[in-house]
Amino acid sequence: MHLNHGSYGAAPRATVEHRAALLAQVDANPLRWHLEVQPRREHARRSVAEFLGAAPQRLAFVPSASAGTTAVLRAFANEEIVVTDHAYGALAKHVELEAARSGARVVTAHVPLEADAEAAMHAILGAVGPKTRMLVLDHVTSATARRMPVDAVAAAARERGITVLVDAAHAPGMLEVPAGQTGHAWIGNLHKWACGVRGSAVTVLDPETAARVRPPIESWASDAAYPQNFDEQGTADSTSYLASAVGIEMLEAELGWDRIRAFQRELLAYGQQLIVDAFARLTGEDHRVAVGMPAPSMALVALPAGLRERPEAAGALRQRIADELGFETQIAGWGGVARLRLSAHAYSTAEHFERFADRAVPTLVRWARDGRVV
């Protein structure tokens, strides 16, 4: 059972089948496809921009959030970069690599897990100094399933002349009109909470930033203005963008995104409490996790003593749960502690969480007492 939508989202069958049909069109006549695809791309751009609350002329498609953040970091990584200790691991590593190449210094701001919006803002801005030129901030964090006060932090940073890159990998679909914020660059995945196909993401850049950022691959449209300069990157596949846009429209028509988000919140609250209580009955411990700005569609549960102290074994524990118990989950390590991260989407059911509470929780408690993660 899939309780880990946050890592790899599930696309509706109709979306996947639509992409397959598009790929068949490409293979039938690749030259005609590439010569005629731009109007389709423009329609998809307008559709996704409306979904995200962005201006269409500010949105470009990229194959992944990593591709978008790469483009921005290469343009702006200099002197001093501030990140938080909640940053996604791959992005934090990339910041370090770009800083090493440019000679920049990286400063990490510690944001307590339980920090509310005001406390988080003070912690982040407290790490900013006179040499800070860039601030990299998660919209929704991966390992800690919390939001960051991106609007307030970005507005304050902008006043200080600091470029703000918002890693919004989890935001599209999870948050309502998430791109309507004040960062210079906002990068989001469509394959997670928006239920698009893999290989689809967007960059949203303000005019000043767009003038400096180059597409990840230079090609025929490189001398065009943004966002068109991102559109033609060699023979890059556009079908993921077109199919994801159609899928987003379909889910709005059939279910409604406001209804989907409300369902996620209600089901996740039920499932989280159910699993917290199931653990507590067996361990006598408090398995709640205090999160200051909790994400609406992901939640943390404290693991039993004996497992929580092993963040270095989080991947092995996640895999063991999948292989032996049949549940796809996420075990997230942060701050020296491993925690269970739960996710819920439109296809999730109460039964998924109930089965985990009945079958997986007692086994995890036994593994904790045995002292065996793998």
Side-chain angles (χ1 to χ4, degrees), residues 41-334:
R41 234 176 350 226
E42 290 296 342
H43 175 81
R45 191 195 322 277
R46 291 192 297 272
S47 176
V48 173
E50 181 180 3
F51 173 66
L52 297 176
Q57 67 271 23
R58 304 268 56 88
L59 184 145
F61 290 110
V62 285
S64 66
S66 296
T69 55
T70 293
V72 177
L73 284 170
R74 285 177 178 171
F76 287 95
N78 64 82
E79 200 153 0
E80 184 174 279
I81 308 167
V82 172
V83 300
T84 79
D85 55 354
H86 296 255
Y88 185 61
L91 179 58
K93 180 181 292 187
H94 188 198
V95 169
E96 292 284 354
L97 290 172
E98 288 297 335
R101 293 184 185 115
S102 65
R105 175 174 176 255
V106 178
V107 176
T108 301
H110 170 60
V111 179
L113 185 57
E114 67 278 8
D116 62 11
E118 183 176 0
M121 178 178 173
H122 285 305
I124 295 164
L125 295 178
V128 169
K131 294 185 178 181
T132 302
R133 297 293 175 265
M134 188 175 200
L135 197 158
V136 180
L137 186 63
D138 294 67
H139 206 153
V140 177
T141 65
S142 179
T144 51
R146 63 160 292 149
R147 292 170 293 128
M148 290 292 182
V150 293
D151 288 356
V153 171
R158 187 180 286 273
E159 291 179 357
R160 305 183 193 191
I162 298 170
T163 299
V164 178
L165 167 59
V166 179
D167 175 14
H170 286 275
M174 180 189 289
L175 306 179
E176 186 178 359
V177 292
Q181 51 83 49
T182 53
H184 295 82
W186 185 95
I187 319 293
N189 280 321
L190 300 180
H191 79 267
K192 288 182 181 286
W193 298 94
C195 293
V197 296
R198 285 177 292 280
S200 55
V202 297
T203 68
V204 179
L205 308 180
D206 71 6
E208 177 186 350
T209 306
R212 292 181 55 181
V213 172
R214 304 303 308 157
I217 299 171
E218 300 283 3
S219 191
W220 285 104
S222 293
D223 56 352
Y226 178 87
Q228 283 73 28
N229 60 346
F230 274 65
D231 286 346
E232 294 185 36
Q233 298 185 47
T235 56
D237 182 13
S238 294
T239 63
S240 61
Y241 313 143
L242 308 187
S244 294
V246 167
I248 289 168
E249 293 170 356
M250 178 196 68
L251 286 171
E252 173 60 34
E254 295 191 3
L255 297 175
W257 278 100
D258 288 342
R259 183 182 173 199
I260 290 171
R261 283 186 281 265
F263 175 80
Q264 291 171 359
R265 291 192 299 270
E266 293 170 11
L267 179 59
L268 184 65
Y270 168 77
Q272 180 187 30
Q273 190 61 54
L274 185 75
I275 292 169
V276 163
D277 291 343
F279 272 125
R281 283 193 296 271
L282 296 174
T283 66
E285 303 168 3
D286 185 357
H287 288 265
R288 294 172 296 176
V289 179
V291 178
M293 298 177 67
S297 308
M298 296 191 296
L300 301 179
V301 172
L303 290 168
L307 295 180
R308 69 171 71 118
E309 305 88 351
R310 300 284 305 280
E312 77 286 353
L317 178 58
R318 179 201 58 77
Q319 193 60 47
R320 189 179 181 196
I321 293 170
D323 293 343
E324 298 185 25
L325 304 179
F327 293 93
E328 286 294 343
T329 62
Q330 180 62 290
I331 305 298
W334 184 85

